[in-house]
Amino acid sequence: MNEFEFIQRLREQTSTRQSSTRIVSGIGDDAAVFHQSPDRDLVISTDLLVEGIDFHRDATPPQLLGHKALAVSLSDIAAMGARPLLSLVSIGLPKSAWSSNFKNEFFAGYLALADQFGVTLTGGDVSESQLIVIDSIVVGEVRAGRAVLRSTAQPGDQIFATGSLGGAAAGLKLIELGARVSEPPASAGGQNSPQQADGRRQDILVPGAVASDTGLTSDDAAIQSLLLRQLAPQPRVGWGIVLGEERLATSMIDISDGLSSDLHHLCTESKLGAMIDAGKLPLDENVRHLCGRRALDPLALALHGGEDFELLFTVSPGNISRLPKRVDSVNISYIGEITEPTDVVRIREKGHEWDLTAEGFQHFNR
Ligand code: ADP
Ligand code: MG
């Protein structure tokens, strides 16, 4: 039994039990939704990060781990079209991490991202454990009835994705090949480089990479960006709020497992299918730049690679003209259309057409 089959069983078990009429949506979406007051609903989501499974300790600076722990839950709140309000975070740490600077750096990264979106850390728990384990909870709000579900796409809706795809999966491959974030040469801090707690910038050092006198080579800069896509994802909070508040999205999910898997989740919940146009997928520029020469297929990374934390959403044809071009400097791309047959996701590229199977990440897939 894989992760999704288990969740489906839990969902069936909960659906037959007594439940409050205040619950709008439970298991099966990016976050649960419930009525708070006549004009306001709350959404709540939790995400677990486990050392060795969800991140590699030796490749993940604590500050970036703190950032990512909050980012993944903010992404789920954004996927509901909601505005984040408050958070809780529980951490299990081995003695070695407790007695080092780990916890301070972790919370420096966590709180910096919380400040960026006006989110208040309101609670959590601390325990000793064998491995680092982080449970990240975020609560957000929407006007009553405005939460954007996975289950409400309509035939003929156009499908869009924010930002770019494939970068985070390429970043993970680079980490597995030995690439690491490291202290930069003084002049090499790029615009995307996160600040450290002490205000210095972090950059990327790859074993064997040769930096020129003027700073990073273009390959180094591309590698740096890809590692940051994996280690410090930027949740699309602004887009989520606009798509929810303006009633632009008919359905939405965030891309955490990979486009192919997450589009299948959306289609299954909406009892519809989709047709994707491969030529329209917003492939990450750095993936294009590096992968062509390294026998990695950028299209496969964009389709099946996880953790880009972009938003995948549908818009009815009559509302396309109301979509903003960009929010917080992030673009969107049209990538396909919702179709009638349930659960059939097709993809076409240069005259060829085939079934797009869900090949994204899942736990216990064995
Ligand atoms: P996401 O990637 O958006 O965080 P997941 O794939 O982790 O979503 O989970 C899918 C759905 O299953 C969500 O609604 C989530 O809340 C629910 N879910 C996952 N694990 C559990 C669990 N242990 N108990 C109850 N619900 C769960
Ligand atoms: Mg999600």
Side-chain angles (χ1 to χ4, degrees):
M1 176 177 279
N2 70 30
E3 175 192 356
F4 299 116
E5 290 159 348
F6 175 70
I7 289 170
Q8 189 53 31
R9 200 172 70 180
L10 270 180
R11 192 173 171 182
E12 282 154 19
Q13 287 169 344
T14 55
S15 69
T16 53
R17 287 174 153 76
Q18 237 188 345
S19 117
S20 162
T21 53
R22 293 178 61 195
I23 295 171
V24 178
S25 173
I27 296 176
D29 219 305
D30 293 283
V33 187
F34 58 100
H35 292 307
Q36 183 205 15
S37 65
D39 62 349
R40 213 133 278 277
D41 292 344
L42 292 183
V43 303
I44 179 163
S45 179
T46 180
D47 266 294
L48 198 58
L49 294 178
V50 177
E51 177 183 348
I53 304 291
D54 300 293
F55 65 92
H56 300 286
R57 189 169 168 185
D58 70 322
T60 312
Q63 195 198 355
L64 299 191
L65 187 60
H67 170 108
K68 184 165 178 176
L70 179 60
V72 297
S73 287
L74 285 174
S75 178
D76 277 329
I77 298 302
M80 304 306 292
R83 182 182 293 276
L85 275 182
L86 58 93
S87 69
L88 297 94
V89 65
S90 298
I91 52 172
L93 294 181
K95 271 205 181 70
S96 57
W98 182 255
S99 51
S100 71
N101 210 24
F102 178 94
K103 54 190 178 311
N104 298 332
E105 291 178 19
F106 176 90
F107 278 102
Y110 183 99
L111 292 172
L113 186 64
D115 289 346
Q116 192 182 326
F117 295 115
V119 171
T120 309
L121 175 62
T122 58
D125 199 6
V126 177
S127 176
E128 187 177 338
S129 62
Q130 301 287 320
L131 297 170
I132 299 171
V133 180
I134 303 145
D135 180 20
S136 163
I137 296 175
V138 176
V139 176
E141 63 175 355
V142 281
R143 277 165 68 180
R146 292 276 172 99
V148 185
L149 306 181
R150 296 176 179 181
S151 55
T152 41
Q154 298 294 318
D157 283 355
Q158 298 194 3
I159 308 171
F160 291 83
T162 58
S164 64
L165 299 172
L172 179 59
K173 288 205 186 296
L174 286 165
I175 287 170
E176 287 165 357
L177 290 170
R180 293 290 179 270
V181 290
S182 154
E183 283 303 306
S187 63
Q191 264 209 318
N192 287 331
S193 306
Q195 296 268 315
Q196 293 185 174
D198 59 7
R200 286 173 300 167
R201 287 193 178 276
Q202 284 199 317
D203 280 272
I204 309 305
L205 187 71
V206 180
V210 183
S212 70
D213 289 338
T214 52
L216 297 173
T217 64
S218 70
D219 276 9
D220 291 337
I223 289 166
Q224 167 184 322
S225 289
L226 293 174
L227 287 178
L228 290 177
R229 286 288 293 179
Q230 166 60 217
L231 296 171
Q234 294 299 325
R236 302 313 188 190
V237 173
W239 265 111
I241 293 169
V242 168
L243 293 169
E245 278 184 356
E246 306 289 326
R247 290 188 132 146
L248 286 165
T250 53
S251 70
M252 183 150 55
I253 186 170
D254 71 329
I255 303 178
S256 54
D257 298 329
L259 173 66
S260 63
S261 289
D262 291 314
L263 181 58
H264 268 278
H265 293 320
L266 187 143
C267 285
T268 305
E269 294 300 322
S270 290
K271 301 189 174 61
L272 289 168
M275 172 65 82
I276 293 298
D277 188 340
K280 301 264 196 267
L281 291 173
L283 302 186
D284 186 295
E285 275 306 313
N286 294 306
V287 172
R288 260 193 235 271
H289 174 71
L290 287 176
C291 289
R293 287 176 283 139
R294 284 170 175 76
L296 273 175
D297 178 7
L299 179 62
L301 285 173
L303 285 174
H304 308 302
E307 299 201 287
D308 283 316
F309 294 103
E310 298 294 355
L311 296 175
L312 178 67
F313 60 96
T314 57
V315 180
S316 66
N319 272 333
I320 303 296
S321 60
R322 292 178 53 219
L323 280 172
K325 289 259 177 305
R326 53 189 70 77
V327 173
D328 299 336
S329 311
V330 177
N331 295 318
I332 50 172
S333 305
Y334 162 87
I335 61 167
E337 198 172 303
I338 295 291
T339 54
E340 286 281 4
T342 304
D343 252 2
V344 180
V345 178
R346 304 273 294 166
I347 179 164
R348 63 171 164 240
E349 186 188 27
K350 296 180 191 144
H352 297 285
E353 205 184 291
W354 69 96
D355 276 349
L356 180 64
T357 47
E359 290 173 32
F361 182 79
Q362 53 179 272
H363 293 284
F364 304 111
N365 183 26
R366 45 187 174 257

